[in-house]
Amino acid sequence: MPDALKVYKSKRDFSITSEPAEGGEAAPDALTFVIQKHWASRLHYDFRLELDGTMKSWAVPKGPSYDTKDKRMAVHVEDHPISYSSFEGTIPEKQYGAGKVIIWDKGTWRPQGDPHKGYEGGNLKFEIHGHKMRGKWVLVRMKGKGEKQEPWLLIKEKDDYAKPAAEFSVVDEMPDSVSKLPMPGARAVKAKARSKGSTARGLPEQALKAALPASLSPELATLVDQPPVDPAEWIFEVKFDGYRLLARIEGKQVQLITRNGHDWTHKLEPLEKELVKLKLPDGWYDGEIVVHDENGRPSFGLLQLAFDGSNTADIVYFLFDAPYFKGHDLREVPLEARRALLGAVLDKARSDTVRFSGEFGSDPEELVVAACKLGLEGVIGKRRDSRYVTRRSPDWIKLKCGQRQEFVIGGYTDPQGSRTGIGALLLGTHDKDGVLQYAGNVGSGFTQAVLRDLKDKLSALDTDASPFPPGAVAGRKHHWVEPTLVAEVSFAEWTSAGAIRHAVFQGLRSDKPAKAIGREVAKHMEESMPTQSKTKAKTATKKAELVAPEGKLPATLKVTNGERVIDAQSGTTKIELIRYYALVGSLMMEHLKGRPVSLVRAPSGVGGELFFQKHAEVDKLPGVKRMDQALDPEHPPMLEVGSVGGILSAAQWNVVEFHTQNAVGKNYEAPNRMVFDLDPGEGVDWAAIQEAAQLMHAFLDELGLPCFLKTSGGKGLHVVVPLKGGLDWDTVKDFSQEVVRHMALTLPDRFAFKSGPKNRVGKIFIDYLRNGRGATTACAWSARVRPGLGISVPVGWDELAALKSGAQWTVANAHTRLDLGNAPWDGYAKAAKTLTAAMKKLGFKKE
């Protein structure tokens, strides 16, 4: 048999690279897939499908898109071993594919039809089950034009998961690795069943043999105000817009029970029949029933109509837990293991009506944004190691897209104009003493049919007495009703008077008793945790403050002309530059914070006309603000970038370079740094620039001045001296000029004192003019408008000898430097000194 990995092996030196040479076993129960985010010469996504003992592989430059209109180029590359699916790391320089690799997504896939015929015929259709990739997709081979590697297209097919690109970009909103997350689907289940702690019966050791109880109260989630700080310890699922439902299954006997213990089996006969047909093991199963709209989103309104019309055939039951299973009580079993058992059973059942509620992703902040964009209600988080408790628990949390809860209907108003039925519902919630307090009204979100139905139901409950405290509801023309009906309502906010604003009716709820409805207040995430978790959370928060973001773009940022190439040499597009700035934003803010900034706009990209702006209208640049007018009274206010969002909005405005001044706005008349820009003239090689930096370092050290080094992103290097002492602009500039004069006089063959091109042929001009009032220098981590888009990067003096150029790092390979970040400049602020002693040594006198 020919070696399917021959090409793969021939391209790699396995004595150098940590990539696997071969190995890996095919899963016995499902085909696996992996997508690896790969920063090689250009960022791309390696899409791999397990088939015939190897991973069939395609390189997708832009990554996948959920928009069915997007046809993403997928270049067919050599087969990889199955063991490559777990590879995550950095491929060394000079090796094939050198660069960082992360596992962007993983899971299982199911071919639609014969996969061998599809692959050979160039039309491979499949369904995918991952953390980020879901639903139906197709890989289509294009007619080649002599390319060495076959061009294919990766396309999303129409299904419930499809979404327009303008609303959702999975690569931008879910950029992180999923390597630490369990494998979704059947393969994860098999692994769990074989894990330590499993018993011979295939159940975890915490499972206790027990009779199936006649009733069970479900575990309820706590509404919180922010995501947890330790997301790796949580499982995140879609928050479904439906009814909570427990299924008790014992042989052929199926009971469907609401969260409040009501038996709805007779209302859900199609679902009952489906569960009998599936022959699930005896147990209690926990989930939620939903009805999807035409766009595949759960719709509470349609769910109600399904009940009202006695047509429940379109109801889908999403199961997410199994507290009792196969004659055992699993409530003491960790959640992750319970879900693994449930997932295995449902994977074999393969029902379109009864489905497993899979993990939605790993980053809760991204997930909430994504859920909102997909039109979902929000996200549910559950601790991976939590036990099942029959009460509300801080181990299960709710993160909602907007404000939404249940209210008791206490009355209604008459319709106005052409409206029929009712005008608005008068709403309330119970306080701690059980008194129904008025919470405002809702007059929108009704169809004519709903208005008529509500009128009939409310008329049957008419009463002369208001259920609210006296005078709570202004006006006289109200109809009061017995407070027994419950409405679900979405709204914008609570007023200070305790009423809701901009309310929209979502539907009636019959699964919750009116007496239990109170105002739902989000707990602070830390307050919702068990005591032992709070200290851990505080520590995690402090650590999180030190971590650079992973390139995610805020939902509010609208990128225009993102595919426009701004640098022909590297092929970098505008969106790739914006993603770069998202990646380094927090590192860059350490150098931007508080300083007046100048922005270099390049609407036509490298080689086009540039616009250097110190003053600009900032109304369309969120995160960029004007500084005090008094800093420069003769000109408009200077600009400051106040947040990472400001960097990104500027980049969207076609800003490529960010330049900062040597003072901060709060103490503008006293610069707190001095910059020496080593600018080589014609004929100067890189080794001479390195030597010049070493000489500069030695001389400043002789003067007693600490200095720090960074690449310029262009031809030279920047040497930066932190200052304190409050000297004015002119004094600092004059002193820096004297330093350069001394260097030029001492080593005239190396250094030029005058800046003109003719004066520095074969020499280096140490540019001291950067130290004048209003002068600027390229900020650390800023890209430069030059071919290749080099970036300015902080480096250590011990790294100088190994540097290859002032543009060693570029937008394309910046990821190789992020692990080190600003570390070479640790101690910068504490190192600041006055110039007093240095002035004496140099013989400089302030005029």
Side-chain angles (χ1 to χ4, degrees), residues 821-834:
N822 288 325
W825 280 31
D826 285 349
Y828 173 90
K830 292 182 179 179
K833 287 189 176 182
T834 67

Side-chain angles (χ1 to χ4, degrees), residues 14 87 101 147 287 323 339 367 442 444 473 483 527 547 581 593 603 691 820 833 838 847:
F14 296 106
F87 174 71
V101 177
E147 297 93 345
R339 284 175 54 83
L367 296 178
V442 57
S444 64
V473 186
E527 293 173 358
V547 179
Y581 276 127
K593 188 175 181 180
E691 290 177 359
L820 201 56
K833 287 189 176 182
E847 295 183 0

